[in-house]
Amino acid sequence: MVFNPEQNLAQIRTVSPLVHNITNFVVMNFTANALLAVGASPVMAHAVEEVEDMVAIAGSLVINIGTLSPAWVEGMKLAMKAASKIGKPIILDPVGAGATPYRNAVLTELLATASPTIIRGNASEILALAGTNVQTKGVDSTASSKDSIDAARALSLQYGSVVSVSGATDVIVSGEKTAFVENGVPLMTRITGMGCSASAIAGAFAAIQADPFDAAVSAAATMGLSGEIAYRKVKLPGSFQIAFLDALAEITPAQLAELARIKHQLT
């Protein structure tokens, strides 16, 4: 399969798709800025009174369960149901899956409401979501992305979703197809909201690319390469966060075409 991250990035900047986020308090600002930097248009709306209307005008829906409350969960379910009904891409970020019974119960409810187009999380979250008994550490991963390939494949086959697992090497699974994205730097794990922003960026790519496998791979490559570009300039987490946003804005389709390290295999 041929992936087209450079063409997809150019399309985002041409279309500026509206990405509807129901996300968590910790990352709202950073996520919105990441979407703006890459060329998309963010909106954060979680009230049950408006989520269905917002889904109708958005290019995609991103659901992030980082800071849960019952009212937000109802908004998430309404939004997912509406998106599924009209064929809008749904990206689910199962933040902290496996950490608490409530979090697991909410994920069960959400997955019963509508099948996500893309599920994007770290290895521990994907393993927990697939029912593997895994030791969790809040929202941080205690497993490597490559350890979760079987779990990701099981989820992909069960829900018909592309599953994107972040790590030193990002692993993206679509049924029997697997792609590996080797861009990125370790410092990215020390910035809160990086994973959540990766899910939002996946929403931007899914809004303009009908193939969710291509969209998820393109998002991972864009995130990882932007991290590499930022790291050339700064080496400390505070300034890196700003440099990363700058890199998202500066990265060019030509750089993606040349420097994205993507491998693909059929199993």
Side-chain angles (χ1 to χ4, degrees):
M1 177 174 178
V2 177
F3 299 104
N4 300 289
E6 67 281 0
Q7 295 177 23
N8 293 332
L9 178 62
Q11 183 71 356
I12 286 174
R13 290 175 175 168
T14 298
V15 174
S16 189
L18 179 65
V19 181
H20 177 191
N21 299 265
I22 303 180
T23 190
N24 71 76
F25 290 117
V26 179
V27 305
M28 280 188 187
N29 180 271
F30 185 56
T31 297
N33 281 323
L35 283 167
L36 286 168
V38 83
S41 179
V43 64
M44 276 59 181
H46 56 265
V48 294
E49 292 83 0
E50 70 169 348
V51 291
E52 293 166 299
D53 294 325
M54 196 65 76
V55 163
I57 62 172
S60 63
L61 170 68
V62 179
I63 299 291
N64 177 305
I65 69 162
T67 51
L68 285 173
S69 71
W72 282 40
V73 173
E74 288 308 306
M76 291 174 182
K77 290 194 289 187
L78 284 173
M80 289 179 70
K81 189 176 295 184
S84 179
K85 184 176 180 180
I86 59 179
K88 296 289 178 74
I90 301 169
I91 291 76
L92 174 65
D93 189 332
V95 179
T100 68
Y102 177 59
R103 200 162 287 263
N104 293 342
V106 166
L107 285 167
T108 298
E109 289 182 44
L110 295 179
L111 289 168
T113 299
S115 292
T117 310
I118 298 171
I119 300 171
R120 200 227 61 85
N122 65 40
S124 291
E125 291 162 348
I126 297 305
L127 286 162
L129 197 61
T132 303
N133 186 13
V134 58
Q135 180 67 40
T136 63
K137 184 185 176 185
V139 301
D140 295 326
S141 183
T142 58
S144 77
S145 54
K146 291 184 178 180
D147 293 336
S148 68
I149 293 176
D150 289 343
R153 182 163 295 114
L155 286 173
S156 180
L157 293 172
Q158 181 176 359
Y159 295 106
S161 309
V162 172
V163 181
S164 179
V165 191
S166 58
T169 296
D170 293 331
V171 177
I172 300 93
V173 175
S174 179
E176 300 301 326
K177 299 177 293 184
T178 306
F180 302 92
V181 177
E182 297 179 340
N183 296 97
V185 294
L187 186 58
M188 296 173 76
T189 64
R190 297 178 60 193
I191 312 298
T192 190
M194 274 291 174
C196 301
S197 293
S199 296
I201 298 296
F205 278 94
I208 56 85
Q209 171 52 255
D211 181 353
F213 192 33
D214 191 356
V217 170
S218 296
T222 301
M223 285 287 298
L225 184 55
S226 294
E228 292 175 7
I229 292 169
Y231 193 71
R232 294 172 193 163
K233 301 176 182 179
V234 297
K235 302 292 190 288
L236 294 173
S239 51
F240 180 84
Q241 184 180 48
I242 303 302
F244 175 78
L245 292 175
D246 291 343
L248 268 180
E250 293 172 349
I251 191 171
T252 66
Q255 286 176 307
L256 269 177
E258 178 185 358
L259 300 173
R261 298 191 297 279
I262 302 168
K263 298 179 181 178
H264 175 242
Q265 69 182 35
L266 181 64
T267 56

